[in-house]
Amino acid sequence: NQQFVAWEERRFHVSKSADHMIDSIIDTPERADATELPYIEGHRTLQVDLVVYNKVSKHISSYEVKRGNGKHDSGKTRSILRDLLCQKVLISSYAKSRGLRVDSSDSKIIFYYGQRSKKLVPFSIMGSELDQHFGFEIQKNVEDVNLIFRDRLNGILGEIN
C-alpha cells in the first residue's frame, strides 16, 4: 500500500529519562498517552519489529509482533508493557529525528493468534483485526506466506521420515 512506509528498527534508543518516567507510571500506563520525550541516544536499545508511517495522515506507530499462542507470566507482561510504553513516549520524536512530519503516534503489540494478558489488552491488536486497523488486506497475505512455509516444512519433514 503506497500510503504506508514500513521498516524494522533494530536499535531503537531508550534514554534513562524515558526509563525513569515509565517506571513512575507503569501502574497507570494510560498516562503515557499525553507524554512525548526527546529521542536521543540511550543507555539501552530495543529491537522494534515494525515501524509504520502513514504518509497521508502523518501518523507513526511502532509494533511488537508476538505469536500470541499463549499468555505470558506477570514478569514478562510487565517487561513487554515497559518496552511498549518507552516506545510510545519516544516514537514521535524518533520520527521527527528521521525527518518525518508527525501529527499523531502510537505503539501497539500485535498478538497474531489472539492470546494476550489482560493488562496488555488496551495496547494490543489481534491478527484478525489487522485489516481493519490498517484499512487494507493484510491477514490473508500473512496466511498465504504461512502456508508456503508450512508446505516447505512438511516437505522437509517428509524427506526425513
Side-chain angles (χ1 to χ4, degrees):
N1 186 312
Q2 297 301 311
Q3 182 175 332
F4 298 93
V5 179
W7 63 95
E8 173 187 30
E9 182 56 69
R10 292 179 182 258
R11 295 187 46 81
F12 186 88
H13 290 274
V14 178
S15 62
K16 285 184 181 181
S17 61
D19 266 338
H20 292 307
M21 188 275 206
I22 296 306
D23 283 342
S24 71
I25 67 163
I26 193 77
D27 293 323
T28 53
E30 64 279 355
R31 291 176 53 200
D33 288 338
T35 305
E36 180 183 327
L37 296 176
Y39 182 76
I40 57 174
E41 191 163 317
H43 71 110
R44 70 182 181 105
T45 60
L46 302 173
Q47 181 172 330
V48 178
D49 296 327
L50 179 63
V51 179
V52 177
Y53 179 68
N54 185 318
K55 297 183 285 187
V56 175
S57 69
K58 308 297 185 226
H59 180 85
I60 191 160
S61 293
S62 65
Y63 299 91
E64 291 300 313
V65 181
K66 306 287 186 196
R67 284 184 299 278
N69 280 332
K71 294 187 179 174
H72 299 96
D73 64 42
S74 61
K76 181 65 175 172
T77 297
R78 188 174 180 87
S79 174
I80 291 169
L81 181 59
R82 177 191 171 99
D83 287 349
L84 177 76
L85 294 175
C86 284
Q87 291 172 53
K88 189 175 192 71
V89 300
L90 294 168
I91 194 70
S92 286
S93 180
Y94 162 83
K96 292 170 188 169
S97 76
R98 292 180 59 105
L100 300 171
R101 187 177 140 221
V102 176
D103 291 338
S104 61
S105 64
D106 203 2
S107 295
K108 296 282 187 194
I109 305 166
I110 298 170
F111 290 103
Y112 191 78
Y113 293 110
Q115 292 280 334
R116 59 188 170 187
S117 303
K118 285 183 182 179
K119 193 169 189 171
L120 298 174
V121 169
F123 309 101
S124 63
I125 301 167
M126 310 289 247
S128 61
E129 300 167 338
L130 287 173
D131 295 353
Q132 180 181 0
H133 178 75
F134 287 104
F136 67 100
E137 189 173 73
I138 292 178
Q139 189 177 22
K140 180 187 178 308
N141 295 325
V142 172
E143 289 304 316
D144 288 348
V145 171
N146 281 344
L147 186 58
I148 291 168
F149 283 107
R150 192 174 305 128
D151 289 346
R152 285 184 184 171
L153 181 60
N154 286 335
I156 291 168
L157 293 174
E159 292 173 9
I160 293 172
N161 293 329

